[in-house]
Amino acid sequence: MIGKFFHMPNHRRFSIPYRYYDPEKEEMQEREDRIKKEMGIHEKKEFDPNYRANIRGQFRRAMGQSSKTSSDARRNYNTRLITFVIVLSIAVYLFFKF
């Protein structure tokens, strides 16, 4: 216990191990790039900076009938609310009757 009282901890070293590093794949990619450069083959990557994907509502459309629509959710909410009001009114009636 006394030994721990005067103990000064060392600093911790920050180290992130590489998880998905494949040196063979990287070396092969470098060779392919070098060979394509020597042969004069240029790969043209098409990128349009003005492209904007409209993804609003895509998940619901893809799910089809299995996803609830807003009217179904509203109906469930209204049913729950009416049930709650009925149960609450019965509880208040029974509480003040006796």
Side-chain angles (χ1 to χ4, degrees):
M1 184 74 173
I2 297 290
K4 289 283 185 180
F5 184 72
F6 293 108
H7 174 70
M8 292 293 290
N10 294 332
H11 68 281
R12 293 185 178 185
R13 298 186 187 272
F14 185 74
S15 170
I16 299 177
Y18 295 110
R19 293 183 187 178
Y20 305 109
Y21 178 69
D22 187 8
E24 293 175 2
K25 184 177 179 182
E26 185 175 312
E27 186 178 319
M28 185 173 67
Q29 185 68 34
E30 288 176 2
R31 273 186 281 146
E32 286 178 2
D33 291 340
R34 190 182 69 235
I35 292 170
K36 286 179 183 178
K37 195 177 200 182
E38 289 175 1
M39 294 180 69
I41 300 173
H42 299 288
E43 289 184 11
K44 186 176 184 181
K45 295 183 180 180
E46 296 181 20
F47 175 72
D48 185 12
N50 297 326
Y51 176 75
R52 283 186 63 185
N54 186 9
I55 61 171
R56 181 174 289 165
Q58 294 294 322
F59 183 74
R60 204 171 265 157
R61 264 186 240 124
M63 290 297 291
Q65 294 295 329
S66 63
S67 67
K68 289 187 175 183
T69 61
S70 61
S71 62
D72 291 340
R74 193 177 306 125
R75 190 177 317 132
N76 288 341
Y77 175 75
N78 289 340
T79 306
R80 234 180 286 141
L81 181 65
I82 291 169
T83 306
F84 178 71
V85 169
I86 290 172
V87 169
L88 186 63
S89 61
I90 291 172
V92 169
Y93 174 75
L94 292 176
F95 181 73
F96 285 116
K97 183 180 176 186
F98 298 112

